[in-house]
Amino acid sequence: MKKMGVMFAASILAITLVACGGDEQPEQSEEVEGEEATSEEAEVEQESTYNTDDIPEVIATVNGEEIDNELYIAYLQQEVQSLTMQGVDLESAEATSFIEGTKKQLLDYMVDERIILQEAEKEGITASEEDIDAEIATYLAQYQIDESELEERLSEQGITMEEIRADFEAPVIRNKYIDQFVSVPEVTEEELQTTYDEIVASASQAEEETEIPSFDEYREELENYLVAQKQQEELGALLEKLREEYEITTFM
């Protein structure tokens, strides 16, 4: 039972965290201040870490293929860290409810992703070196770093460029499958106008005044949003059908 691409998002997440924390901080002029800063950083890190001891090593199987917990935990800790940064008390009922809902959504997401990869394999969909190069280039542009900087940060974490290239294979295959089996829907003028009117109405009810672009200025963004929304709905329907054909076992 092989594992396909499970390290992708975990590796990307690690790099992203490094990228986000890469800016130099002002030096502490006093040793005591440095110790206090270190203590505060450790406290924040401790507070933003969610206890995952009860999460099994294998969280699900899809047609006998195991999904381990590494990527699942990485995603979950990212969500918990986001709550902490917003000042949310992790012991509150609100946070507990959110985390439990997130855990279910993550499990469903990872099962769905594995189904897509298995379906792609059946269809003979693969990722070429050129495809992977393009995906990496998109990532580098998004986080505004060049390849040499990426290699340096990977090296600091004990990861080679070849390993990260392998991790990029899964999203390339996923996107190719979706391009092939999920249509690009048409968006009507009425749908665009209705969505724009809803945004304007929502903004007018907000306490802070928000300047909304004109319909024509916003048109392309609205169209992209509605196309993505319709594609997500179509993909959801496809996955719902495929789930009925798959043998899925979850352990959470």
Side-chain angles (χ1 to χ4, degrees):
M1 292 179 286
K2 62 182 179 178
K3 300 177 181 178
M4 301 171 58
V6 295
M7 283 301 297
F8 167 72
S11 297
I12 295 303
L13 174 60
I15 300 166
T16 301
L17 292 177
V18 172
C20 291
D23 295 334
E24 293 185 2
Q25 300 297 322
E27 293 183 2
Q28 297 288 341
S29 58
E30 300 291 340
E31 183 178 350
V32 174
E33 291 179 355
E35 291 175 356
E36 288 177 352
T38 302
S39 176
E40 289 173 3
E41 288 171 1
E43 184 177 349
V44 170
E45 182 178 355
Q46 183 176 9
E47 289 177 353
S48 63
T49 302
Y50 181 74
N51 188 341
T52 58
D53 292 343
D54 61 337
I55 296 176
E57 184 176 349
V58 175
I59 60 174
T61 59
V62 178
N63 279 358
E65 183 182 354
E66 295 180 350
I67 302 177
D68 65 34
N69 66 10
E70 188 168 8
L71 176 55
Y72 179 91
I73 289 174
Y75 274 138
L76 185 59
Q77 295 290 19
Q78 185 182 39
E79 292 296 328
V80 170
Q81 185 178 40
S82 177
L83 286 179
T84 304
M85 293 176 67
Q86 296 173 46
V88 176
D89 179 6
L90 297 183
E91 300 297 325
S92 68
E94 176 189 8
T96 300
S97 176
F98 176 83
I99 291 171
E100 289 304 310
T102 298
K103 289 167 72 173
K104 183 182 185 306
Q105 289 175 2
L106 285 176
L107 182 60
D108 290 343
Y109 168 78
M110 294 187 68
V111 167
D112 286 345
E113 290 297 289
R114 192 56 55 90
I115 290 173
I116 290 174
L117 291 176
Q118 289 190 13
E119 286 295 303
E121 185 175 20
K122 291 177 187 177
E123 298 294 335
I125 298 174
T126 59
S128 68
E129 292 299 312
E130 291 76 13
D131 293 328
I132 295 173
D133 286 339
E135 189 74 13
I136 292 175
T138 299
Y139 174 83
L140 293 176
Q142 180 181 356
Y143 289 97
Q144 300 180 335
I145 60 175
D146 57 33
E147 190 165 336
S148 61
E149 187 176 359
L150 173 62
E151 290 182 358
E152 181 180 346
R153 294 181 179 183
L154 287 172
S155 177
E156 291 171 356
Q157 299 175 66
I159 304 171
T160 67
M161 195 64 189
E162 285 307 308
E163 287 173 327
I164 200 67
R165 287 184 65 82
D167 288 340
F168 272 99
E169 185 176 2
V172 168
I173 292 173
R174 176 194 190 276
N175 292 339
K176 280 186 153 187
Y177 177 83
I178 291 174
D179 287 344
Q180 186 171 333
F181 291 95
V182 177
S183 63
V184 179
E186 292 185 3
V187 176
T188 67
E189 195 70 20
E190 182 181 358
E191 289 173 322
L192 288 169
Q193 187 64 57
T194 299
T195 304
Y196 180 77
D197 291 343
E198 290 173 352
I199 292 172
V200 171
S202 177
S204 66
Q205 295 174 2
E207 294 183 3
E208 297 181 2
E209 292 187 8
T210 305
E211 184 177 348
I212 303 297
S214 68
F215 176 77
D216 288 337
E217 292 172 330
Y218 213 12
R219 182 188 182 87
E220 184 178 353
E221 187 173 345
L222 286 171
E223 187 168 4
N224 291 338
Y225 166 75
L226 289 174
V227 166
Q229 186 181 58
K230 289 186 174 186
Q231 285 185 314
Q232 188 59 42
E233 290 171 357
E234 184 178 338
L235 177 60
L238 174 60
L239 285 166
E240 186 175 352
K241 179 181 177 182
L242 289 172
R243 273 176 170 264
E244 296 175 358
E245 303 171 6
Y246 271 67
E247 182 179 341
I248 301 168
T249 305
T250 59
F251 303 105
M252 296 184 57

